[in-house]
Amino acid sequence: MALGAVAEPPVRRRGSDYAQLSRRITQAGLLERRPGWYVARIVLTLGAFVAGWVAVFLLGDSWWQLPLAAVMAVATTQVAFLGHDAGHRQMFRRRGPSEMVGLFAGNLAVGLSYGWWVDKHNRHHANPNHEDEDPDVGAGALVWTPEQALETRGFGRWLAQRQAFLFFPMLLLEGLNLHVASIRAIVGREPDGRYSTPMRRRAVEGLLLVVHTVGYVALLLAVMSPVKALLFAVVHQALWGLYMGCSFAPNHKGMPMPTAEDELDFLRKQVLTSRNVRGSRLVDTALGGLNYQIEHHLFPNMPRANLRRAQPIVRAYCAEQGIPYAETGLFESYRQALGHLHEVGRPLRG
């Protein structure tokens, strides 16, 4: 999608545009921490997560474990959202407490490397939807530009031709992919011996991932047969990956993808590449606040509970500046994302 047609104020004003918006947000008190809200959120989320595992233990060797695995996929994703908030220091201003929550939620509870995720996610925030800078749109199992599609070969090309139809089924493997990527980040090295992924507490992260894996496998095998344990793990991990993918997919997929030639200031870079999803507070909870993607990208350390209040301020300011503000319903956001994936694969379908 071209960026050149976007109506913008004179270049000389660009440097102050974000500062003006930031002052409005600060004056509204929306960057202040919400300790009470987060205490309640952490207690409720972790309480549901622990209660779910207690239910797994008490239910024993029953086929009812499979529906419970689906419930645990939801609980696991909600815990992962806490790790996301901690990574952005939405809970605490200081790094130490944020890392403690992130390591507990990510490595121990979910089995996802907090350090790897923070490194990857920060690069995404710095240059959202930039093909060369954003790791979330780099060529992989999915391709995001026609150029990436044309570079595919073999099975990768077959996938690229059909990726819009295979997107949701492929998300069932995202949970496994996240676990594997976490392990690779901890142990992976460059040819010169340096670790591939920067990480502050590599040994701690590795230990917590081992504890998570051993505890997960031990609990399942202790209360149910190997067959049921395997099926529980498959359902749990598949639906967790699907839920995670469905939470992040509406945010940027199908939005403009700037290149090095697009000279965008911070405000426009974040707004033009992001999409908000309309909905009730139920949608806010289900998507972990990520439905306010524009506000989140402009103010990553804003507490999740303040994003809804920040939205009308940001939307009105964008209107003043003539900056398009993308907002749509949940299903329409998926339609746009899938439409983009389908269009990317068009050159391969002849």
Side-chain angles (χ1 to χ4, degrees), residues 50-61 65 68 218-220 222-224 232:
V50 172
W53 286 117
V54 170
V56 169
F57 180 79
L58 295 177
L59 189 56
D61 192 26
Q65 292 281 12
L68 186 53
L219 174 61
L220 296 187
V223 301
M224 61 187 88
F232 180 98

Side-chain angles (χ1 to χ4, degrees), residues 264-311:
L264 299 175
D265 65 315
F266 180 80
L267 176 66
R268 288 160 181 80
K269 180 194 298 184
Q270 303 299 337
V271 174
L272 296 176
T273 60
S274 303
R275 177 195 295 113
N276 274 16
V277 175
R278 289 190 296 266
S280 64
R281 293 188 184 275
L282 177 62
V283 174
D284 295 358
T285 300
L287 297 182
L290 297 175
N291 47 314
Y292 300 108
Q293 191 67 194
I294 294 174
E295 290 70 28
H296 172 58
H297 262 256
L298 289 171
F299 304 98
N301 62 343
M302 180 183 289
R304 191 197 312 179
N306 289 347
L307 293 170
R308 173 178 279 268
R309 294 169 54 201
Q311 185 187 31

Side-chain angles (χ1 to χ4, degrees), residues 26-165:
T26 302
Q27 289 168 0
L30 298 178
L31 295 180
E32 296 297 322
R33 296 298 179 267
R34 299 284 299 274
W37 187 90
Y38 267 115
V39 167
R41 177 65 59 179
I42 290 172
V43 169
L44 289 173
T45 302
L46 293 183
F49 183 74
V50 172
W53 286 117
V54 170
V56 169
F57 180 79
L58 295 177
L59 189 56
D61 192 26
S62 167
W63 288 109
W64 286 105
Q65 292 281 12
L66 299 186
L68 186 53
V71 174
M72 288 308 301
V74 175
T76 301
T77 306
Q78 289 295 321
V79 172
F81 288 152
L82 292 179
H84 171 270
D85 292 3
H88 283 295
R89 299 194 196 180
Q90 295 176 14
M91 301 176 182
F92 315 101
R93 293 188 184 278
R94 292 170 50 221
R95 172 184 284 176
S98 299
E99 284 189 344
M100 287 182 60
V101 173
L103 290 170
F104 179 86
N107 294 65
L108 185 60
V110 177
L112 175 67
S113 169
Y114 173 74
W116 164 75
W117 176 84
V118 167
D119 173 71
K120 176 176 178 288
H121 199 60
N122 283 346
R123 287 185 283 130
H124 158 70
H125 267 263
N127 291 284
N129 259 22
H130 192 292
E131 181 181 357
D132 298 322
E133 304 291 343
D134 183 356
D136 289 352
V137 293
L142 297 171
V143 291
W144 308 102
T145 66
E147 292 75 18
Q148 290 178 351
L150 291 172
E151 292 176 359
T152 57
R153 297 291 182 271
F155 182 63
R157 174 158 293 209
W158 184 88
L159 279 180
Q161 291 174 330
R162 301 162 177 82
Q163 61 181 6
F165 301 100

Side-chain angles (χ1 to χ4, degrees), residues 198-216:
M199 201 173 295
R200 279 172 47 83
R201 305 181 188 277
R202 192 176 305 274
V204 173
E205 293 217 21
L207 176 61
L208 291 177
L209 284 184
V210 170
V211 172
H212 166 85
T213 304
V214 171
Y216 184 86

